[in-house]
Amino acid sequence: MAKIAFIILAHKDPRGLIAQAERLTATGDYVSIHYDARSSQQDFATIQQALVNNPNVTFALKRHKCGWGEWSLVAATIETVHAAIGAFPTATHFYLLSGDCMPIKSAEYARAFLEQEDVDYIESVDFFESDWIKTGMRADRLIYRHWFNERSQPRRFYLSYNLQKRFGMTREVPKDIVMKIGSQWWCLRRETIEKVLDFCQSRPDVMRFFSTTWIPDETFFQTIVRHVVPRSEIRARSLTYLIFSDYGMPVVFYNDHFDMLLRQDSLFARKISPEALDLKERLGALWQAEGLHFAISGEGKSLFRFLTGRGRIGRRFAPRFWETEASLGRRSQIFMIVTKKWHVAKRLTAAIRDHTDIPAVDYLFNELQAGLPDLGGVENTVGKRQRHRRALIRLLLAEFDDERLVICLDPSALELMQDFSVDRSEAHFLFIDAEFSDDYVRGHMMRVGLANPSTPEHVVAQLLPVVRSDLDHEAERVRDFGFENLYEISPYFSAEKNVAALAAFLNLDEDTARKIAETPHLFAD
């Protein structure tokens, strides 16, 4: 049976830490605590006194003064692990937590989960090839030595860093080490912890290297575990649920996040607001509960991106200069079909191909399969198409040997529409009006990851009006922008009005436009 030794790094809230230790040990598990040496000695004494009679609690023998980005965080973790290994010989798993973490599953569930597979859980991806580092230093974290803290000693940090860069004082990563990076929060088996500690003892060269890297808590265990344990025995993920904002800051959870947290495929969550007293009480009681079933839906991160992104509509990065300078040409005509109902737009492009000689493709900036010809590789990823949008359109015009092209765009792609509208080419827009039924909105939520078949019905019901309002708002933004040559068709318009709009949009005669407008089931879901 799995027994967990929790390695807790804390620096504040002694009462909360005491409650956390008592809660985790009440189910027979263990706790090993490192309380930051920068914090109050009186607070540390209070913690020790409160937990002195608890046989399932121990403390790191040495307290380190920890600083963000420093080796001290790793040193404190190793010290606390050493204490746990000696004090708890029956512990099978070692789980790193902070004082801000709370359980989002029961101990019963956590043990059963860990017993399913004999593996370690630690996020561990390639340091150089992955996109884990969003901003700031990458290789410079490793090849230069960092003795000072960027936050508390910024002048010394950058003086040392810049001097090393100026005089080329670089170093190499130890040759037998493959650098990995990932979340600080892991859960490792006892045998893995023992291998890591043996490695630390036998490889002082690697320890010296990491002791002067920048932010080693994101690389040390992530790298060493992959070095001493076969890849097949590692699940490259953290069991602690956390979300980062666009600015690299952890999202804080509050009282109304309880149901959402329980649905995530994790055992703990970080960070819980100190003010979320009701959430802390409910999650605290959850750890000791028995016989609970947890319906995992896992939509939390996509839901966060959706809700926060709604407030940023209209704030876009400017396109790169080569995109704005590269014109499609004055004689080119780009016809853009804009609608959220992609199946309707695709019926229309099929009809345009059947009844005219105008080349027409589908959602080339959203889907890999968009009816594109072979363009030598630029068409292989959606991201590449978006980055080189005008180059892609020019290639398509050349491939079709035509100065006209019909494409489909999602209403959310307002920045793309703006870009094409200011080009020297002639831009035409056809907006297809749509009504969004509950079933359609539900399907849309599934497609974009806001929900899945396991998401509780009451959560879906709460999201329905929000998502529908967002879809309606996208349509209004297109209408309100003031595009020249913007036309609209709708299942609620008369046939003659739709024919006139199609004829004007594509510069067609009325008979041809009527054949397109009479496409069977054009607007049907």
Side-chain angles (χ1 to χ4, degrees):
M1 179 180 178
K3 289 182 76 73
I4 308 169
F6 292 99
I7 311 301
I8 301 181
L9 305 183
H11 65 279
K12 61 181 180 180
D13 189 15
R15 292 182 179 228
L17 180 58
I18 293 167
Q20 185 184 42
E22 290 177 338
R23 175 173 57 247
L24 295 176
T25 57
T27 53
D29 294 300
Y30 308 108
V31 168
S32 183
I33 297 172
H34 178 276
Y35 198 68
D36 197 329
R38 297 183 190 274
S39 302
S40 163
Q41 178 61 37
Q42 182 178 349
D43 285 348
F44 182 56
T46 299
I47 296 166
Q48 285 185 305
Q49 184 177 358
L51 299 172
V52 66
N53 294 320
N54 189 329
N56 286 8
V57 175
T58 191
F59 293 86
L61 293 179
K62 179 182 178 181
R63 294 171 63 202
H64 292 263
K65 293 183 178 179
C66 296
W68 183 88
E70 292 181 7
W71 171 253
S72 53
L73 283 171
V74 178
T77 304
I78 294 173
E79 192 74 39
T80 315
V81 166
H82 268 296
I85 280 282
F88 311 126
T90 61
T92 61
H93 293 78
F94 293 75
Y95 196 130
L96 181 61
L97 294 174
S98 76
D100 294 322
C101 295
M102 291 287 289
I104 55 175
K105 299 291 185 293
S106 64
E108 180 183 66
Y109 179 97
R111 292 196 189 99
F113 180 91
L114 294 176
E115 289 170 358
Q116 286 178 0
E117 288 189 285
D118 186 22
V119 295
D120 299 304
Y121 293 90
I122 180 168
E123 187 176 26
S124 177
V125 298
D126 190 275
F127 183 92
F128 296 101
E129 299 299 326
S130 72
D131 64 349
W132 204 88
I133 299 174
K134 303 297 184 185
T135 60
M137 294 182 182
R138 184 180 289 269
D140 288 5
R141 291 190 185 194
L142 310 176
I143 64 174
Y144 298 112
R145 296 163 180 83
H146 302 278
W147 293 285
F148 306 103
N149 188 288
E150 182 189 26
R151 295 185 175 181
S152 60
Q153 300 172 294
R155 293 184 62 184
R156 291 181 177 179
F157 179 91
Y158 285 105
L159 177 61
S160 168
Y161 171 57
N162 290 325
L163 283 173
Q164 291 180 76
K165 290 184 69 174
R166 179 178 177 182
F167 293 106
M169 299 169 63
T170 59
R171 60 177 178 174
E172 293 185 356
V173 175
K175 293 190 182 300
D176 62 331
I177 297 296
V178 179
M179 290 300 302
K180 302 295 180 180
I181 192 168
S183 169
Q184 175 185 0
W185 313 107
W186 40 253
C187 179
L188 304 176
R189 296 167 297 171
R190 186 181 193 90
E191 55 267 34
T192 299
I193 285 291
E194 291 172 345
K195 289 177 181 178
V196 170
L197 294 180
D198 288 344
F199 182 92
C200 295
Q201 191 71 27
S202 63
R203 292 295 300 271
D205 60 320
V206 176
M207 302 299 282
R208 284 194 300 270
F209 172 80
F210 276 103
S211 68
T212 52
T213 60
W214 184 231
I215 321 182
D217 55 290
E218 295 177 351
T219 55
F220 178 77
F221 285 97
Q222 296 77 0
T223 300
I224 304 308
V225 169
R226 285 288 293 268
H227 186 78
V228 300
V229 175
R231 176 66 186 88
S232 60
E233 296 180 17
I234 298 174
R235 298 295 173 263
R237 55 162 295 200
S238 172
L239 294 180
T240 298
Y241 184 71
L242 68 165
I243 304 175
F244 285 99
S245 71
D246 294 347
Y247 308 103
M249 299 300 292
V251 173
V252 176
F253 300 113
Y254 295 91
N255 290 334
D256 56 351
H257 288 126
F258 178 80
D259 291 331
M260 184 274 289
L261 289 174
L262 265 58
R263 296 195 302 273
Q264 308 316 306
D265 188 17
S266 300
L267 304 182
F268 284 76
R270 179 178 190 274
K271 292 183 167 183
I272 308 299
S273 169
E275 301 172 1
L277 301 181
D278 181 61
L279 178 61
K280 286 188 172 185
E281 182 178 350
R282 297 176 74 185
L283 292 178
L286 178 69
W287 181 249
Q288 300 177 48
E290 295 181 353
L292 294 183
H293 171 71
F294 295 89
I296 307 300
S297 55
E299 78 290 345
K301 292 183 180 179
S302 58
L303 184 59
F304 171 78
R305 288 193 297 270
F306 167 71
L307 293 175
T308 55
R310 295 178 74 238
R312 303 195 183 111
I313 291 172
R315 296 166 60 183
R316 306 284 183 180
F317 290 107
R320 299 183 180 189
F321 71 91
W322 61 77
E323 292 288 2
T324 57
E325 292 299 321
S327 173
L328 301 178
R330 293 186 184 280
R331 299 176 63 182
S332 300
Q333 293 179 305
I334 308 302
F335 304 103
M336 286 162 273
I337 299 172
V338 183
T339 183
K340 202 70 180 181
K341 292 192 173 181
W342 293 7
H343 55 283
V344 177
K346 291 177 182 180
R347 287 193 197 114
L348 190 58
T349 55
I352 291 170
R353 288 190 291 268
D354 287 343
H355 297 293
T356 77
D357 60 352
I358 304 174
V361 297
D362 297 329
Y363 285 87
L364 73 170
F365 296 114
N366 299 93
E367 296 182 302
L368 278 177
Q369 302 300 324
L372 300 185
D374 183 0
L375 298 175
V378 71
E379 79 283 1
N380 288 344
T381 69
V382 170
K384 186 182 290 187
R385 296 178 198 171
Q386 292 173 345
R387 288 194 300 273
H388 305 291
R389 63 192 71 155
R390 296 194 186 184
L392 174 62
I393 298 299
R394 289 199 305 273
L395 282 172
L396 285 169
L397 292 171
E399 181 68 22
F400 289 122
D401 193 21
D402 204 308
E403 294 176 339
R404 303 165 299 167
L405 180 67
V406 175
I407 66 175
C408 300
L409 294 177
D410 191 272
S412 63
L414 185 62
E415 186 262 336
L416 281 174
M417 298 177 222
Q418 291 174 259
D419 187 23
F420 288 127
S421 72
V422 298
D423 186 76
R424 290 197 294 267
S425 60
E426 185 177 329
H428 289 214
F429 301 88
L430 179 71
F431 182 75
I432 303 179
D433 186 27
E435 182 177 0
F436 304 113
S437 66
D438 283 356
D439 286 342
Y440 177 86
V441 177
R442 289 171 191 272
H444 174 72
M445 289 162 59
M446 298 289 182
R447 289 189 291 274
V448 301
L450 289 177
N452 59 51
S454 299
T455 302
E457 180 57 32
H458 73 276
V459 174
V460 175
Q462 289 176 336
L463 282 174
L464 278 173
V466 179
V467 176
R468 180 180 286 104
S469 174
D470 199 63
L471 296 177
D472 291 338
H473 181 57
E474 284 182 351
E476 290 308 310
R477 287 168 60 220
V478 175
R479 292 187 177 107
D480 293 343
F481 190 79
F483 290 115
E484 190 176 355
N485 299 322
L486 173 64
Y487 308 94
E488 184 170 345
I489 62 174
S490 170
Y492 310 109
F493 291 171
S494 67
E496 292 306 316
K497 187 172 182 178
N498 285 338
V499 168
L502 283 168
F505 169 61
L506 293 169
N507 295 325
L508 296 175
D509 61 82
E510 187 174 304
D511 288 341
T512 304
R514 188 178 304 281
K515 292 177 182 178
I516 296 172
E518 291 175 349
T519 298
H521 313 295
L522 176 60
F523 298 104
D525 286 338

